[in-house]
Amino acid sequence: VGHHAEVARAAEEAAAHGASPLEAAERAVSRSGDRWGAVYSRGEYEEFEATLDGAYTGVGLWARERDGRIEVSRVGSGTPADEAGIRPGDRLRSVDGKKVDGRPVTEVVSLLRGDRTGKAAGSTVRLGLERGSRSWSETVRRARLFREPVTVRSLASGVTVVQVSAFTKGSGERVGAAVREAPKESGIVLDLRGNPGGLVAEAVTAASAFLDGGLVATYDVAGEQRALHAEPGGDTTRPLVALVDAGTMSAAELLTGALQDRGRAVVVGSRTFGKGSVQMPTELPDGSVAELTVGHYRTPSGRGVDGHGITPDLEAGGQALERAETVVGGLGR
């Protein structure tokens, strides 16, 4: 926790000598060995905070890799990509003249959003596309878009799947609403696969949908113990499975650990990522922000998650959702 003081001091000294506080802070963070520590410029931090609101700049298409090629997997309705007539299954060949074959999807998404180049909403991006034998180029204007963090669907068996892609602002309340609106007899699969976390307060609100008060997690900040509690009045009887994988991180692991330790959910899937640390921001002299690890959290029974992850009650790989559905059905009996 001395990191905060060291990083701030390095930034202040740099500012005093006319050097870059941001670069000095980055060096101090990498020396500290804080694997989740990061330094953001003011603009980057504002963008980071906006993503926690579920907002991002982009064209509204999702991409996936197929045999070394990039194809459009989904197009958000009413987004610039949708208005330009781009459809799922179209092949994306280039972004602003850069060929995308063989690049990781994360890098392609970054190019589409203009992250690296600081392109704002309103800027344009040229896409090279292919559909069957037709290839064409389309210039699309980036817009400020909002991600829908919670999606709800019913399976043929009557099980309700509540998928949470990230704990952005308002997502905990959406989970609560989904539980209240689900048919009376319906079991729930809470799908947290690939959820990188987000706001801890939102994960606690989500836990409150399934618990009647009580402990969700404890954490320490500067050696001082703090506790997070669920609100009373959640649904404690409905059959519940939490579905997780190696992409389930941070606040999503906190929620999973609480439901598992409290005996509220059966956890199905594969071992979670293992990020059990708490970060807090410190503003540096030039307006940049250092996000540094200040402590670690534990599940209600006192298990540390950091570096360990959460082991499911039932390991399931490729057919994880089907397995989860079966388990929920069994719990209902």
Side-chain angles (χ1 to χ4, degrees):
V1 182
H3 300 340
H4 267 274
E6 277 159 38
V7 171
R9 194 162 53 240
E12 276 155 23
E13 279 170 15
H17 293 98
S20 160
L22 187 143
E23 284 169 21
E26 280 177 338
R27 284 194 297 275
V29 169
S30 65
R31 274 200 309 273
S32 75
D34 179 352
R35 73 183 275 223
W36 299 109
V39 182
Y40 300 90
S41 69
R42 187 192 289 272
E44 284 172 331
Y45 193 71
E46 282 168 3
E47 188 59 31
F48 170 69
E49 286 197 300
T51 59
L52 292 176
D53 280 337
Y56 66 100
T57 298
V59 297
L61 67 78
W62 283 256
R64 67 169 162 230
E65 190 260 339
R66 268 261 167 97
D67 310 320
R69 297 174 160 194
I70 300 292
E71 74 169 34
V72 177
S73 57
R74 193 152 79 78
V75 178
S77 68
T79 61
D82 183 27
E83 283 159 16
I86 298 167
R87 297 210 288 263
D90 288 351
R91 187 181 154 207
L92 185 62
R93 298 187 52 178
S94 65
V95 177
D96 280 337
K98 293 190 179 75
K99 290 211 169 5
V100 297
D101 284 1
R103 289 183 190 244
V105 169
T106 49
E107 199 177 306
V108 176
V109 168
S110 190
L111 287 170
L112 288 167
R113 292 188 182 179
D115 287 349
R116 305 275 159 84
T117 44
K119 294 283 169 63
S123 62
T124 56
V125 57
R126 200 172 84 256
L127 309 179
L129 295 148
E130 200 174 87
R131 182 185 300 163
S133 59
R134 173 186 171 218
S135 39
W136 78 103
S137 168
E138 191 77 58
T139 299
V140 187
R141 197 172 286 282
R142 294 185 179 97
R144 200 70 174 144
L145 302 168
F146 283 86
R147 191 184 289 103
E148 195 41 80
V150 180
T151 52
V152 183
R153 67 185 198 277
S154 289
L155 302 178
S157 60
V159 169
T160 300
V161 180
V162 180
Q163 186 174 7
V164 188
S165 62
F167 284 106
T168 54
K169 276 202 181 79
S171 56
E173 193 39 61
R174 297 295 302 276
V175 171
V179 174
R180 289 191 297 274
E181 288 160 18
K184 192 130 182 59
E185 303 305 306
S186 168
I188 288 181
V189 172
L190 182 64
D191 189 351
L192 300 172
R193 291 176 299 177
N195 181 322
L199 300 164
V200 167
E202 297 295 338
V204 174
T205 302
S208 303
F210 304 105
L211 298 169
D212 186 12
L215 193 59
V216 173
T218 56
Y219 65 102
D220 57 281
V221 171
E224 190 187 311
Q225 286 294 315
R226 303 184 189 185
L228 298 166
H229 291 92
E231 292 291 322
D235 184 324
T236 58
T237 55
R238 212 185 260 279
L240 177 65
V241 163
L243 187 54
V244 299
D245 67 6
T248 305
M249 295 172 67
S250 194
E253 291 179 282
L254 179 144
L255 172 58
T256 305
L259 296 173
Q260 188 180 46
D261 278 9
R262 301 274 306 269
R264 180 61 189 93
V266 175
V267 179
V268 174
S270 43
R271 184 200 288 268
T272 64
F273 184 88
K275 178 181 184 284
S277 55
V278 179
Q279 279 73 37
M280 285 189 179
T282 298
E283 193 164 335
L284 303 175
D286 60 347
S288 57
V289 175
E291 271 254 314
L292 304 173
T293 301
V294 292
H296 294 84
Y297 67 78
R298 294 181 172 276
T299 68
S301 69
R303 291 185 291 164
V305 176
D306 207 53
H308 303 289
I310 288 168
T311 304
D313 300 306
L314 179 67
E315 288 278 345
Q319 300 295 303
L321 181 60
E322 289 80 351
R323 295 292 297 278
E325 187 180 5
T326 309
V327 172
V328 165
L331 293 172
R333 294 189 198 85

